[in-house]
Amino acid sequence: MPRPTAAQITYGSMTVIFSTLAMLLLSQTSSAVGTAVIAVSALALGLLVALTVPKPKPRVVAVNRPAEHPAEAPVPAVATSSKTAA
């Protein structure tokens, strides 16, 4: 299993904290059961956010390789002088 990235940990944690605060303030619950439901739902939401954060693309490293040339074949000699009648 791959390790979570820093972005996943940050986004998931911030989602848990802020969603818990928002739900507690909006619901104005005072019971332990209500607080537990809010805490569990905030954890589930934070996990969902952390898992849906886009993962970084793997870096492609260019490798400098010499171009592969076929073995050099000898070039046939071309006749450069021509005999002409004088």
Side-chain angles (χ1 to χ4, degrees):
M1 184 170 159
R3 301 178 84 184
T5 62
Q8 288 175 313
I9 293 171
T10 303
Y11 287 151
S13 299
M14 290 299 114
T15 301
V16 170
I17 292 168
F18 289 124
S19 63
T20 302
L21 287 175
M23 286 189 278
L24 284 173
L25 290 174
L26 291 174
S27 69
Q28 297 178 354
T29 186
S30 58
S31 68
V33 174
T35 305
V37 168
I38 289 174
V40 169
S41 62
L43 286 173
L45 184 62
L47 182 64
L48 178 70
V49 168
L51 292 177
T52 57
V53 171
K55 295 185 177 161
K57 295 179 182 176
R59 292 175 35 185
V60 177
V61 178
V63 177
N64 291 332
R65 291 187 204 159
E68 293 185 26
H69 298 289
E72 295 190 21
V75 178
V78 178
T80 57
S81 62
S82 61
K83 295 182 181 179
T84 57

